[in-house]
Amino acid sequence: QDPSTMDDTLEKELADADGDAMADLGAVDEEFEAMKSKLEEMEQEAEKLKKMQDEVGDHVPDSEQTAEQQQAASDEIDMRSIYVGNVDYSATPEELHEHFHHVGTVNRVTILCDKFRNPKGYAYIEFAEKEAVETSLSLNESVFKGRPLKVTAKRTNIFGFNRGRGRGRGAGGHGPAF
């Protein structure tokens, strides 16, 4: 081939390649701009979320404080509650409410049941006032549905108090010697 024709062909190819490179650069610029705008959107969203978390964080108390408050509230409710034993299995909360309503304002009647939803034969009654607990103790041995009720002040369980000292059920031996 003629060297001048080769130069023309080479120049033409370079011009085409340069045009393609410019087009590629334009596409890269568009992608870059799209990525920048997406990044800005994500940063704005992150800022909004941070503000929302700060607002929620201001309204949520510390978990330790909440646990202490829950324990105090539970203790206070226990001081206003009684245990009622030997409750007839056919008794309803409404009937127990009726039996104890003249003692004081009854907030809640809880009849405990087993996993098959059969009554266990005892209940807890929560009163609005602490004084009602003392008055309700006078109903100990009162007859309800043909059975004498056992009425005592509700006790608060102390964690780990009644853990026992044994090895549990069925631990007759001492295990293998090592």
Side-chain angles (χ1 to χ4, degrees), residues 15-127:
D16 288 346
D18 196 33
D20 287 346
M22 292 303 253
D24 287 345
L25 283 177
V28 168
D29 278 348
E30 286 179 25
E31 284 182 41
F32 182 70
E33 291 301 319
M35 289 174 66
K36 276 178 45 179
S37 67
K38 187 71 174 171
L39 180 63
E40 286 177 24
E41 287 177 29
M42 291 170 62
E43 288 174 345
Q44 289 172 356
E45 187 69 24
E47 187 65 32
K48 286 180 189 175
L49 287 172
K50 187 175 182 335
K51 286 180 183 176
M52 289 172 62
Q53 284 178 334
D54 290 344
E55 289 174 11
V56 170
D58 293 342
H59 298 297
V60 176
D62 294 336
S63 60
E64 290 177 17
Q65 183 182 11
T66 302
E68 290 171 5
Q69 288 175 343
Q70 287 175 346
Q71 183 62 41
S74 176
D75 291 347
E76 199 269 328
I77 289 172
D78 286 351
M79 294 181 79
R80 294 184 286 122
S81 301
I82 59 170
Y83 164 85
V84 183
N86 200 26
V87 176
D88 188 72
Y89 295 113
S90 66
T92 64
E94 292 79 18
E95 292 170 333
L96 281 172
H97 185 281
E98 184 65 30
H99 189 75
F100 286 93
H101 82 282
H102 68 278
V103 172
T105 306
V106 176
N107 283 353
R108 180 186 334 201
V109 176
T110 305
I111 298 176
L112 277 83
C113 297
D114 63 13
K115 65 182 179 181
F116 304 109
R117 295 195 174 189
N118 298 320
K120 289 184 171 185
Y122 61 94
Y124 292 103
I125 299 177
E126 177 191 331
F127 292 101

Side-chain angles (χ1 to χ4, degrees), residues 140-155:
N140 189 29
E141 300 298 323
S142 65
V143 178
F144 176 74
K145 289 196 159 199
R147 300 175 78 161
L149 295 178
K150 176 177 171 63
V151 180
T152 60
K154 183 175 189 268
R155 64 178 180 84

